[in-house]
Amino acid sequence: MARWWGRRTARSGLLLVTAVCTLALGLAPPSGAVAPQPAASSPGHSPLPVFSGGYGVSCVRATYCLGVGAYTANDVPRVFTGLWNGSSWSALPSPNPKNTTSSVLNAVSCSSTSHCVAVGTYTDSDFMTWGFSEVWNGTAWSVVDTPNPNGGTFVGLSGVSCVSSSYCVAVGSYTNAQSVSGTLTEFWNGTVWSIRTSRNPGSSSSLAAVSCSGEKACMATGFEFDTNFVELPLAESWNGSSWSVVDTATPDGAQGGYLDGVSCARASRCMAVGNYADSDGISQTLAELWDGTAWTVVASPTPSDSPNSNLYGVSCATASHCLAVGHSYSPSAAAKDGTLVESWNGSSWSTVDAPSPSATNALNGVSCVAPRRCFAVGLFVDSSGDYQTLADTWDGSTLSIVNQDAVLSGVSCLDASDCVAVGSYLADGAVSTTLAESWNGRSWQVMSSPDPNRSQGSYLNAVTCVRTDRCVAVGYYYKRDNSRATLVESWNGVRWSIVGSPNPSGAAYSVLDGISCSTASRCAAVGSSAGRVLAEEWDGTHWSIVPSANPPNPAYTELADISCASAVDCLGVGFVTDTHYHADLPLTEHWNGVRWSIVPSAAPGKNFDQASVLHAMSCTIEGGCLAVGFHERKSGTIGTFAERWTGKRWDVVGTPSPNGSIYSTLSAISCVPDSGCLAVGNYYTSSGNFATLTERWTGTRWRVVASPKSTQPSGIAYLLGVSCAASSMCLATGAQGSPAELDPLSEQLWNGTRESPTDAGGRVPAKRTGVAKGDLPRSGPLGAHQGSRRRPATSTR
């Protein structure tokens, strides 16, 4: 009963993303904090975690659907929209209301390919929440203000239905001065929104969804609390001039109910879905049919192995063809939250075999343009514990998953035509798989890379190459018991192979984040294990754990990158979560061939609980290194951060951040002797997107240089790795796209005079379809050129 009630009350309030993730998926809700805090204390995750979910979808035809929802990166919830063209799912640039700390789109309705309206909720800088809308003109989205009820606070819009470009109805709720929730309905005339009075039965009421078959025929559904504070299904009908409450039905023995979705094939034929609590307090699916006169309960199945079930959305292509979506779960220890899909044939509901890509999944919205043409959106939890957008297509008999993610986290170049990049991509069953690609100076080629047996997810974080036939990549993988273990893979010029690497005894997780090789037979890797620094050494035969240093009584320590001048001279950088200052502070350590020792590092702002974290470093000569990351300013915003090693001490070096950005960070750096350094990362733009960030060190100061994706609002674009083979050639890698689908991104950032993009990204095997993306083979050698690798200069993460 707790999960069912929790979702309903959260939905009637503010952010649907919070409701879905807190209840349906058991995740921590995204924060609406003014100052976003990067997830530096999440070992093994990229500096830019991306969490996303689809909450609404509308299809004009089978080859044109718009989906809406939200993504959360660095604890900043922002809207995302995607377009389905019948074969692929792509991001659309989506604006956010000005001066917001969070925003989410809950629903969308399209009357044509050139007119769609989406509604949602945003939180302002005073932490007040308000409704808003966006209008799609076939080319771009624009934010349109929506009115707020007099004296109303905590306003939210959760459903919308458009009959034409000049007639839409949106529904939701607000809280009045007495802290009582009331229904809210607004009408769009093609130019502005206006509020129309709606009914508020019971002690409080809320509307979740609406469906209009004409300008004088709309049905809205939600819930009301009666005088005994029992939640009951609510339906209101619009006749063109006013709203009226229509009595709803509940199953025998029900302790309450909620109607979360509604779809009307015509004025006298509507289907509403939701859930109710049975006599034992267990959530059961609820479906009700409107015949133009009254609502009646129609039996809907609840999976026997998952007794707690909810239906969140429904779409009827005709009166006898409807598809409903939601999720079901079991409270048992071996429970799995799975997608739930049911089909209506005009007389009865039946369960559809729905693929659940992971252990925790939900579908929230669905749109059908024909009985055999439906598109559904939702979210799932991937093998790394992050929630991602889920999109399904329905052909009348089966559901197919269409989303994909791929990221290149690290890169190493021997010269301009010989680079290797590593990362991960989402494979069949939503299991992350290692990804390796080679660059020959003209194009990228996917290299076959292995995964540990029975892995529940594998990731490569960094790579270093000492010659064409010798590269080493490090990362981690998930075991069957969900613990994380170190992963090391070696390239011999022909193939990648897994090399055994140890893990501290009893550790629930062990992750390797950075690697540096002084010779082909001498390498060192660093990361974290069970909240403490993990360091390992390769002697040419095997990997072994070496003693690492940790500050006294830390909450968490991690070394994120390493650079070795020789087998007995390495520097590592990362951060420590300090229990005294209650902040993440820079951590730097030195390896002398026998042991690691802590080197004092500058920590600006530590007395004010302001975080400073180092992500990566690069050295050109012994005694000269630069490290980069992020720093929390006094204002609470996040800016780029750099420190310089003089051979004796670390000094802070001022770094610029893009004007007006509340968040910017540097994730990787590569230096070339006598030619400066390039550092890459990302920043949060004023338009509500994440864009690539590139900065160049001239030897005396840092300056921002334009990168190809920095001015293209593609939703998300970020850089995680960079390697400079010479002063006139640097290559960077990361990811771009939308929360629905991230593709690999590579950029030839510097050719001596300017930056230019490379033809890369997305060149991974297509998941679940068996069709290769980009028509590239699954294997391929590095370029034949035998080049000498500059030691720390290209050992970047």
Side-chain angles (χ1 to χ4, degrees):
M1 182 67 176
R3 279 193 171 192
W4 169 79
W5 185 86
R7 174 180 162 80
R8 301 287 71 80
T9 53
R11 171 67 179 272
S12 63
L14 311 177
L15 294 180
L16 179 57
V17 65
T18 302
V20 171
C21 297
T22 304
L23 164 80
L25 301 184
L27 298 169
S31 168
V34 176
Q37 298 295 320
S41 299
S42 300
H45 292 270
S46 70
L48 183 67
V50 176
F51 312 106
S52 65
Y55 306 125
V57 64
S58 181
C59 298
V60 178
R61 53 178 181 261
T63 57
Y64 196 96
C65 301
L66 282 182
V68 302
Y71 73 94
T72 301
N74 299 308
D75 292 340
V76 181
R78 288 294 183 262
V79 304
F80 107 82
T81 63
L83 174 65
W84 170 254
N85 64 7
S87 60
S88 63
W89 176 242
S90 59
L92 295 172
S94 310
N96 292 271
K98 295 180 179 180
N99 302 318
T100 63
T101 59
S102 65
S103 49
V104 57
L105 289 173
N106 294 326
V108 61
S109 181
C110 297
S111 58
S112 69
T113 58
S114 60
H115 181 264
C116 301
V117 172
V119 298
T121 301
Y122 75 91
T123 303
D124 64 19
S125 56
D126 294 323
F127 298 100
M128 300 296 291
T129 58
W130 311 101
F132 78 103
S133 71
E134 298 194 7
V135 177
W136 171 255
N137 64 5
T139 304
W141 288 99
S142 58
V143 174
V144 178
D145 292 335
T146 56
N148 296 300
N150 292 332
T153 58
F154 300 101
V155 181
L157 293 173
S158 55
V160 63
S161 182
C162 293
V163 176
S164 67
S165 60
S166 60
Y167 195 94
C168 300
V169 179
V171 301
S173 65
Y174 72 97
T175 301
N176 63 21
Q178 289 73 43
S179 299
V180 175
S181 175
T183 61
L184 173 63
T185 64
E186 302 192 7
F187 285 69
W188 169 256
N189 64 4
T191 305
V192 297
W193 288 95
S194 59
I195 295 176
R196 301 287 180 89
T197 301
S198 52
R199 305 305 172 189
N200 289 283
S203 58
S204 65
S205 309
S206 177
L207 293 174
V210 62
S211 180
C212 298
S213 55
E215 294 186 5
K216 297 182 179 181
C218 299
M219 187 69 72
T221 59
F223 78 95
E224 62 172 295
F225 279 106
D226 65 13
T227 55
N228 295 318
F229 296 100
V230 175
E231 194 177 40
L232 300 174
L234 170 64
E236 297 192 14
S237 176
W238 171 258
N239 63 6
S241 59
S242 63
W243 289 98
S244 59
V245 174
V246 181
D247 290 339
T248 56
T250 53
D252 293 340
Q255 297 187 57
Y258 190 104
L259 292 175
D260 211 354
V262 63
S263 180
C264 299
R266 56 179 184 263
S268 60
R269 200 71 169 179
C270 300
M271 184 69 73
V273 298
N275 59 62
Y276 72 95
D278 65 15
S279 57
D280 295 322
I282 297 175
S283 177
Q284 305 285 331
T285 61
L286 173 62
E288 299 193 16
L289 180 65
W290 170 256
D291 62 6
T293 304
W295 287 97
T296 57
V297 174
V298 290
S300 56
T302 294
S304 58
D305 58 346
S306 299
N308 294 271
S309 300
N310 308 267
L311 292 173
Y312 300 143
V314 62
S315 182
C316 298
T318 68
S320 57
H321 291 90
C322 303
L323 200 69
V325 299
H327 104 292
S328 60
Y329 61 93
S330 171
S332 66
K336 287 189 175 183
D337 289 350
T339 53
L340 174 62
V341 180
E342 300 187 6
S343 176
W344 170 258
N345 63 7
S347 59
S348 63
W349 285 97
S350 60
T351 302
V352 173
D353 185 16
S356 289
S358 67
T360 308
N361 326 259
L363 287 172
N364 300 314
V366 60
S367 180
C368 299
V369 293
R372 297 177 182 272
R373 291 292 183 269
C374 302
F375 193 82
V377 296
L379 62 165
F380 69 95
V381 177
D382 65 18
S383 56
S384 66
D386 300 337
Y387 61 92
Q388 309 287 354
T389 304
L390 173 63
D392 285 353
T393 57
W394 167 253
D395 63 6
S397 59
T398 59
L399 281 168
S400 302
I401 300 174
V402 300
N403 61 293
Q404 170 180 293
D405 284 298
V407 175
L408 290 173
S409 301
V411 61
S412 181
C413 295
L414 293 171
D415 57 34
S417 60
D418 202 345
C419 302
V420 170
V422 299
S424 63
Y425 73 97
L426 204 60
D428 293 329
V431 175
S432 288
T433 300
T434 60
L435 172 62
E437 301 190 11
S438 63
W439 170 255
N440 62 10
R442 299 177 305 277
S443 63
W444 286 96
Q445 191 173 37
V446 175
M447 311 163 74
S448 180
S449 57
D451 296 287
N453 291 334
R454 298 184 178 181
S455 168
Q456 302 301 300
S458 305
Y459 305 80
L460 293 175
N461 293 330
V463 62
T464 185
C465 298
V466 294
R467 59 180 188 239
T468 299
D469 62 349
R470 178 59 174 167
C471 299
V472 182
V474 297
Y476 67 101
Y477 72 97
Y478 279 85
K479 296 182 177 180
R480 297 193 68 179
D481 62 1
N482 210 38
S483 64
R484 276 172 284 178
T486 60
L487 174 61
V488 178
E489 299 196 6
S490 176
W491 170 257
N492 64 3
V494 178
R495 64 178 61 86
W496 286 95
S497 59
I498 296 175
V499 180
S501 56
N503 296 274
S505 177
Y509 75 85
S510 300
V511 173
L512 292 175
D513 292 323
I515 182 171
S516 182
C517 297
S518 55
T519 67
S521 60
R522 302 293 293 188
C523 301
V526 294
S528 180
S529 178
R532 297 295 181 266
V533 169
L534 172 63
E536 301 193 6
E537 182 184 31
W538 171 256
D539 62 5
T541 304
H542 66 276
W543 285 93
S544 59
I545 297 174
V546 296
S548 56
N550 289 281
N553 303 315
Y556 180 86
T557 56
E558 176 181 352
L559 287 179
D561 202 9
I562 184 176
S563 185
C564 296
S566 68
V568 295
D569 186 9
C570 300
L571 276 175
V573 298
F575 71 97
V576 54
T577 303
D578 189 272
T579 55
H580 177 71
Y581 294 106
H582 306 288
D584 291 337
L585 305 176
L587 174 65
T588 59
E589 299 190 10
H590 179 258
W591 167 253
N592 64 3
V594 178
R595 65 178 62 87
W596 284 91
S597 59
I598 295 175
V599 179
S601 176
K606 67 179 182 181
N607 293 321
F608 302 98
D609 299 341
Q610 295 168 11
S612 300
V613 171
L614 294 173
H615 286 315
M617 69 176 299
S618 183
C619 305
T620 54
I621 58 174
E622 187 172 358
C625 305
L626 278 171
V628 295
F630 73 84
H631 167 59
E632 183 181 4
R633 308 183 185 100
K634 291 182 179 179
S635 63
T637 60
I638 301 297
T640 58
F641 177 57
E643 294 192 12
R644 187 180 187 184
W645 174 249
T646 65
K648 296 181 179 180
R649 67 178 186 273
W650 286 98
D651 293 329
V652 175
V653 181
T655 55
S657 295
N659 292 334
S661 177
I662 64 171
Y663 172 88
S664 55
T665 186
L666 294 172
S667 303
I669 182 175
S670 184
C671 299
V672 176
D674 303 321
S675 299
C677 308
L678 274 180
V680 299
N682 68 91
Y683 72 99
Y684 188 69
T685 71
S686 58
S687 60
N689 296 305
F690 280 93
T692 59
L693 174 62
T694 308
E695 300 194 7
R696 185 168 183 259
W697 171 255
T698 64
T700 57
R701 66 185 182 92
W702 286 97
R703 67 181 181 88
V704 175
V705 295
S707 57
K709 292 293 178 183
S710 63
T711 57
Q712 300 179 18
S714 59
I716 297 172
Y718 58 96
L719 296 172
L720 293 174
V722 63
S723 182
C724 296
S727 60
S728 60
M729 191 280 171
C730 296
L731 199 67
T733 57
Q736 66 176 336
S738 74
E741 181 172 355
L742 288 175
D743 287 321
L745 168 65
S746 77
E747 297 185 1
Q748 186 173 330
L749 282 170
W750 190 253
N751 64 6
T753 58
R754 67 184 186 276
E755 300 75 36
S756 61
T758 65
D759 181 21
R763 301 188 185 279
V764 296
K767 268 69 76 180
R768 307 174 187 92
T769 62
V771 180
K773 243 189 153 180
D775 296 325
L776 290 178
R778 278 291 289 157
S779 64
L782 243 69
H785 179 77
Q786 298 288 332
S788 62
R789 172 166 156 70
R790 293 177 175 82
R791 46 168 185 80
T794 53
S795 175
T796 58
R797 188 169 168 243

